[in-house]
Amino acid sequence: MPNHSTAPVLRFAPSPNGRLHLGHAFSALATWRAADALGGTALLRIEDIDTERCKPEFVAAIYDDLHWLGLNWPSPVMLQSQRLDVYARAGDDLREQQLLYPCFCTRSEIAALATQTDPEGAPLYPGTCRHLHRGEQIERLERGDPVQFRLDTSAAMARVGLLSFSVVGPLISDRPQLRYARPERWGDVVLQRKGNPSSYHLSVVVDDAAQAITHVTRGRDMEAATDMHVLLQMLLDLPTPIYHFHRLILDDDGRKLSKSKGSPSLASLRAAGWTQDDVRRAVGY
Ligand code: GLU
């Protein structure tokens, strides 16, 4: 169900698992620029469900870096770590639809059995636990075996039929083009784990709906993930925003900037004397 009737609302949704770099700066600037072009609002959302990697000091640093770039957003800021009960309910909804099943496979078991890869190159889950006997599921759950809950993607797709969504670009004001979603490329994704009622895919669709996001601006590296989001939106009866996939900022070797590859943070560039204009120029704004 496309969401066209309301005022444009966009969002920038970083994960506070490190300092922001030029890639984030570009994504944030693109989001605020698109909001201006549409006469809408840009919100900030902190995607901090991964409690092992996300840290409060990185949340504070995100606020600092974005303010330094001259960006402002309405309060209060949505923090995903405060919404675990909402994601748990979305998981229950899928469970009631019999679309979530417990999986007890370890990473190495999956890697040994997988014959295909997902769009990110990870081993595609071969469906080992999809048809586990109910008695075995209960026994293993009661025993406390480590468990994750997966979406039965083929069953889910059989319920919703052909899936499509609207994509705009290169400009946000361009005419939307219809695109078909192919969530089956991801196989049976993990949506919940023991002790963690959410995952990136689940929380992002729940929150885009909760914040009435009309346009999602995100990097091209997230195009494939969007297919899974469109499926989850249909299953959870949530609106599908319009999507805009922006270019990526690459390093000198043509690789996407990333915290793990040691791309310089905005803070370090600022400390080295960079101005906001230097940042804008470096990302092509
Ligand atoms: N939190 C995600 C990230 O930092 C992006 C959110 C999204 O666009 O869905 O990569």
Side-chain angles (χ1 to χ4, degrees), residues 28-250:
L29 290 167
T31 303
W32 265 261
R33 180 181 274 203
D36 277 351
L38 295 169
T41 311
L43 305 181
L44 175 64
R45 180 168 77 226
I46 301 293
E47 300 211 324
D48 57 348
I49 48 169
D50 180 349
T51 45
E52 272 170 34
R53 295 173 61 219
C54 295
K55 305 231 166 351
E57 59 265 35
F58 293 135
V59 179
I62 288 172
Y63 297 157
D64 274 1
D65 288 340
L66 295 179
H67 279 140
W68 178 69
L69 284 174
L71 305 175
N72 291 295
W73 52 88
S75 295
V77 169
M78 182 179 275
L79 277 100
Q80 291 192 326
S81 54
Q82 295 174 359
R83 292 172 48 77
L84 298 185
D85 53 333
V86 183
Y87 312 135
R89 283 202 294 278
D92 290 344
D93 183 340
L94 296 172
R95 203 166 277 115
E96 276 158 27
Q97 298 182 53
Q98 314 218 331
L99 292 175
L100 274 198
Y101 65 87
C103 164
F104 303 95
C105 297
T106 62
R107 229 179 250 267
S108 52
E109 282 164 350
I110 296 171
L113 289 175
T115 53
Q116 288 168 281
T117 50
D118 73 13
E120 284 176 350
L124 193 74
Y125 180 64
T128 321
C129 292
R130 193 184 301 133
H131 301 296
L132 269 194
H133 195 269
R134 181 96 187 109
E136 184 172 353
Q137 288 180 348
I138 294 173
E139 191 189 311
R140 296 188 69 171
L141 287 170
E142 280 176 356
R143 201 162 63 201
D145 284 2
V147 63
Q148 29 200 16
F149 293 90
R150 292 183 181 271
L151 180 71
D152 186 339
T153 300
S154 1
M157 289 188 63
R159 303 260 170 98
V160 299
L162 212 54
L163 282 173
S164 64
F165 60 109
S166 297
V167 178
V168 289
L171 296 178
I172 196 78
S173 52
D174 287 342
R175 220 177 113 85
Q177 306 283 326
L178 204 65
R179 185 179 295 183
Y180 289 102
R182 292 186 294 129
E184 66 276 15
R185 295 187 282 166
W186 292 98
D188 291 355
V189 286
V190 173
L191 294 185
Q192 298 187 316
R193 291 191 161 76
K194 191 173 174 185
N196 186 351
S198 202
S199 63
Y200 163 64
H201 293 307
L202 190 58
S203 51
V204 83
V205 296
V206 167
D207 289 347
D208 283 340
Q211 294 191 296
I213 302 299
T214 56
H215 296 70
V216 169
T217 47
R218 54 164 61 139
R220 285 192 188 138
D221 54 336
M222 312 224 19
E223 286 197 52
T226 305
D227 289 6
M228 184 48 75
H229 301 167
V230 175
L231 173 61
L232 291 172
Q233 287 153 358
M234 288 297 286
L235 297 173
L236 295 168
D237 204 12
L238 303 173
T240 293
I242 295 172
Y243 287 88
H244 168 73
F245 301 111
H246 60 68
R247 65 185 165 85
L248 300 176
I249 304 297
L250 304 176

